[in-house]
Amino acid sequence: MSVDIDEAEVKLLQENLNKLRSECETSNIHLKKISTEINNIESALNPIMNLTSTKRTAVANLESTLDELNKLGRISAIVLAERRIIDDTTGNVPVKRIIDSIDKLSAALQDAAIFKSIGNTTVPNNISALIEKGSKRVGAVLQRAADANDPETVTLCLSFFGKSGISYYIDARTRHVSYEIEQIINSTSQKVTDLLACAQTLIRRSASEREILRALNLDIDPDEIAARIIEPAFNILYKAISANLSKARTNIRTNGLYAVQAHAAITYLTDSFHSALKNSTGFTHELVRVQGDAAKMAYDAFPASILYFNEKLAAHTNFPSDAGVVEPCSELVSRLRAISSVKAAAIIVAEELGVDNIIPSPPPAYMSTFTTRNLLRNKKIRTGAACLSTHLMDLIECFVVNLINAGSTHYKKPQMAGLLGLTNIAAIERAADSHPDLSELISAEDTSRERLQKLKSFSAGKFVQRWKELGQSLMETRPMSGSSSLSSKDREIIKEKFKYFNATLDELVAEHKALRITDSALRKQINNEIGFIAPIYYRFYDKYAEGSFSKHAYKYVKYNKKQIDEILSAL
């Protein structure tokens, strides 16, 4: 029987499919078994796998912790090393090393930022505190360097701080300049503050501060910073100027030097500020407000001072019994020394006034008694120092002439007023000799010494007035008779002359020896003034001592020439 090929193929295919199905079912059964076994294995492995993951996490955490500990160790080592630098108090650590420490700590602070992320702020805070402390130390170094004008260190410190560090610099320089002005103002070596010296110092500082700032080559305005630096010092000086003017207003006759100082300082500042500092308008504006008042009082001060002593001596009644130094003399010497202590300011004002305006107008009454100002007639006094010297001599002359005039009224014996003048002139000279500036100032006008000598002669003339009268008594006021022998009238005149001379000489010698003249130079000067009596007596003695006027000449001729010499030498 024949088989259809297609049918046979289908049948064969069917058999193969059945066989394949059977194999698949068998495979499926095996796969299920494998799956079950795999599930069983996974169930068994899960605990082990979980444990391994935990260990891996722990290891990772441990490694991270070790890294942090290592980083903390490195940071701690840096902090420990740099803390020694920052905390050093020996002063031996250069500022550059301190700045290096701060730079290292700043880098360490960045590394320590990780600690903040995990809630640990102790480490960063400690580093920040150390950096702040180091910065303050650099600031202190900057201030000291600024105070000592050490541009190299200042530049180094400012390069560390940048513009923010300029406040340290300003603070230091402000204290330095202010202290310098305060030292002059608070000086106890003189009664009147040398405001002109303060003004000159302030102007020098203004210019030098500007130049120092320029040399630093910072991105700042040197004039603006310099103005900020000197402003407190200017305020201190301006306060002192105002105080001086207030004192002068209370009594220009006794406090005139305060106005002289204020005027000189104001004039100097207003003339010099702009060249020293561009930003000076605010300063000069304050000065201009008081400039006119200061000038008027300063110009009044010199004549007012003379009027003060003129009135003081005219009213003086407390005279020492020995014609010694009076209390107003000490006040005069103090005034003269005060003027010389601020002579630069006084010279400025004296020159502005001129020699004719430093004396009161109208002239004081004492000048009608005696004055040496005639020596200045037709003399051109050009310098301020010479004008001031003239004022000092005017003061001395006012004092001496008024003192002698008042003494002539007080003392019964005229020589006491003269001695009073000589004693006080000697005291003034001693004071001047012990004060070189005053002595130099008095001598600045070439007639001053001559004026002083004339004052001495005026005083000495008062002292030797009775000695002059004694000498005059020996002078022959009329010619004797022309015959070879004296007339009886002539003889009586000669007898009376010898008698008067003897008695008066004894009286004057006794009075002179009773004087307490402790100044050896003054005693010698006075004795020299008296010495003129000897040659007058010698001439009279030589002419009549042999007895031509009397048979008993020894009764009238008490002293020979040798005895007169001995008497005068013993005074």
Side-chain angles (χ1 to χ4, degrees), residues 459-529:
S459 302
K462 294 288 185 180
F463 179 79
V464 300
Q465 181 177 331
R466 290 194 65 201
W467 289 88
K468 286 181 178 179
E469 291 172 358
L470 178 60
Q472 189 68 32
S473 71
L474 297 179
M475 303 297 289
E476 297 178 6
T477 57
R478 67 177 186 82
M480 297 292 183
S481 61
S483 62
S484 58
S485 61
L486 295 171
S487 67
S488 59
K489 188 174 183 179
D490 290 337
R491 288 195 291 270
E492 289 302 316
I493 290 174
I494 294 170
K495 289 177 184 178
E496 289 301 319
K497 284 182 179 289
F498 272 114
K499 286 167 63 177
Y500 177 79
F501 179 85
N502 296 336
T504 304
L505 178 65
D506 290 345
E507 180 185 348
L508 290 176
V509 168
E511 289 177 354
H512 190 84
K513 288 184 175 181
L515 297 175
R516 289 183 294 174
I517 306 174
T518 57
D519 187 328
S520 58
L522 177 59
R523 178 175 286 277
K524 183 178 180 181
Q525 176 191 346
I526 290 173
N527 289 346
N528 288 338
E529 294 288 344

Side-chain angles (χ1 to χ4, degrees), residues 315-384:
H316 188 69
T317 57
N318 185 20
F319 292 92
S321 59
D322 62 350
V325 178
V326 296
E327 179 274 330
C329 183
S330 299
E331 188 175 353
L332 173 68
V333 168
S334 295
R335 180 72 62 90
L336 296 175
R337 285 178 171 172
I339 292 172
S340 68
S341 70
V342 293
K343 65 179 181 180
I347 285 172
I348 290 173
V349 178
E351 187 168 13
E352 291 175 358
L353 270 174
V355 71
D356 293 330
N357 295 318
I358 58 177
I359 196 82
S361 181
Y366 78 86
M367 296 183 74
S368 62
T369 301
F370 177 84
T371 183
T372 60
R373 261 201 160 237
N374 56 339
L375 293 173
L376 303 176
R377 194 174 298 146
N378 300 323
K379 182 176 175 58
K380 291 184 179 180
I381 299 177
R382 301 182 184 279
T383 69

Side-chain angles (χ1 to χ4, degrees), residues 19 44 49 69 99 102 108 115 121 197 216 228 258 262 272 301 321 333 339 366 371 425-426 438 477 482 500 510 513:
K19 186 178 180 180
M49 293 298 292
L69 288 173
I99 293 173
I102 295 172
F115 293 103
T121 60
L216 293 176
R228 287 171 59 186
Y258 290 106
S272 308
S321 59
V333 168
I339 292 172
Y366 78 86
T371 183
I425 289 174
L438 176 56
T477 57
Y500 177 79
K513 288 184 175 181

Side-chain angles (χ1 to χ4, degrees), residues 20-312:
L20 181 59
R21 186 179 291 111
S22 175
E23 289 176 354
C24 285
E25 288 176 355
T26 301
S27 296
N28 189 38
I29 292 169
H30 287 301
L31 287 172
K32 285 182 179 180
K33 288 181 179 181
I34 291 171
S35 178
T36 300
E37 290 176 358
I38 288 173
N39 287 336
N40 292 336
I41 291 171
E42 284 180 351
S43 297
L45 287 176
N46 274 339
I48 297 173
M49 293 298 292
N50 288 338
L51 180 60
T52 301
S53 176
T54 300
K55 287 182 178 179
R56 286 176 179 170
T57 301
V59 169
N61 290 339
L62 179 60
E63 289 176 349
S64 176
T65 301
L66 289 174
D67 286 342
E68 291 177 5
L69 288 173
N70 288 334
K71 185 176 290 186
L72 180 61
R74 289 194 301 273
I75 292 172
S76 298
I78 292 171
V79 171
L80 183 63
E82 305 313 322
R83 184 185 295 278
R84 295 193 187 97
I85 301 300
I86 301 298
D87 289 343
D88 181 84
T89 58
T90 64
N92 296 327
V93 178
V95 67
K96 189 176 186 308
R97 181 65 184 86
I98 299 174
I99 293 173
D100 289 342
S101 292
I102 295 172
D103 290 341
K104 291 177 181 178
L105 289 169
S106 298
L109 182 62
Q110 291 182 350
D111 291 339
I114 189 173
F115 293 103
K116 280 190 176 181
S117 65
I118 60 175
N120 183 348
T121 60
T122 302
V123 174
N125 289 348
N126 287 342
I127 296 174
S128 295
L130 202 54
I131 290 172
E132 183 180 357
K133 185 176 182 180
S135 298
K136 288 181 178 179
R137 281 202 61 190
V138 176
V141 172
L142 171 56
Q143 288 180 321
R144 289 195 298 272
D147 193 49
N149 194 16
D150 177 0
E152 183 178 350
T153 304
V154 167
T155 303
L156 178 62
C157 294
L158 286 178
S159 66
F160 167 74
F161 283 115
K163 273 191 175 182
S164 63
I166 200 67
S167 60
Y168 286 104
Y169 181 86
I170 292 173
D171 184 54
R173 296 307 298 169
T174 295
R175 286 201 312 272
H176 181 86
V177 177
S178 297
Y179 176 78
E180 194 169 3
I181 297 300
E182 285 176 335
Q183 284 296 100
I184 300 174
I185 290 176
N186 297 329
S187 173
T188 57
S189 62
Q190 52 197 33
K191 292 183 178 180
V192 182
T193 301
D194 194 347
L195 294 183
L196 180 59
C198 292
Q200 291 167 338
T201 300
L202 190 66
I203 292 299
R204 284 197 304 271
R205 282 297 173 202
S206 299
S208 64
E209 292 302 322
R210 181 183 64 181
E211 294 309 310
I212 291 170
L213 287 162
R214 282 179 175 174
L216 293 176
N217 199 26
L218 300 173
D219 185 21
I220 56 173
D221 180 356
D223 283 273
E224 188 269 331
I225 299 299
R228 287 171 59 186
I229 288 171
I230 69 162
E231 183 176 4
F234 171 80
N235 291 336
I236 293 170
L237 177 53
Y238 185 78
K239 183 178 179 181
I241 289 173
S242 299
N244 268 32
L245 293 177
S246 295
K247 289 177 182 177
R249 289 187 193 97
T250 61
N251 190 336
I252 193 65
R253 293 189 176 189
T254 57
N255 298 337
L257 275 184
Y258 290 106
V260 169
Q261 269 293 294
H263 171 65
I266 291 170
T267 300
Y268 185 83
L269 289 171
T270 52
D271 289 347
S272 308
F273 243 136
H274 184 69
S275 61
L277 201 63
K278 290 181 180 178
N279 296 12
S280 59
T281 305
F283 301 136
T284 54
H285 178 72
E286 290 295 317
L287 295 169
V288 169
R289 288 176 54 247
V290 296
Q291 191 170 24
D293 191 28
K296 183 181 183 306
M297 286 193 289
Y299 294 157
D300 289 343
F302 288 117
S305 187
I306 292 174
L307 289 174
Y308 170 76
F309 281 100
N310 181 64
E311 294 177 7
K312 189 176 185 69

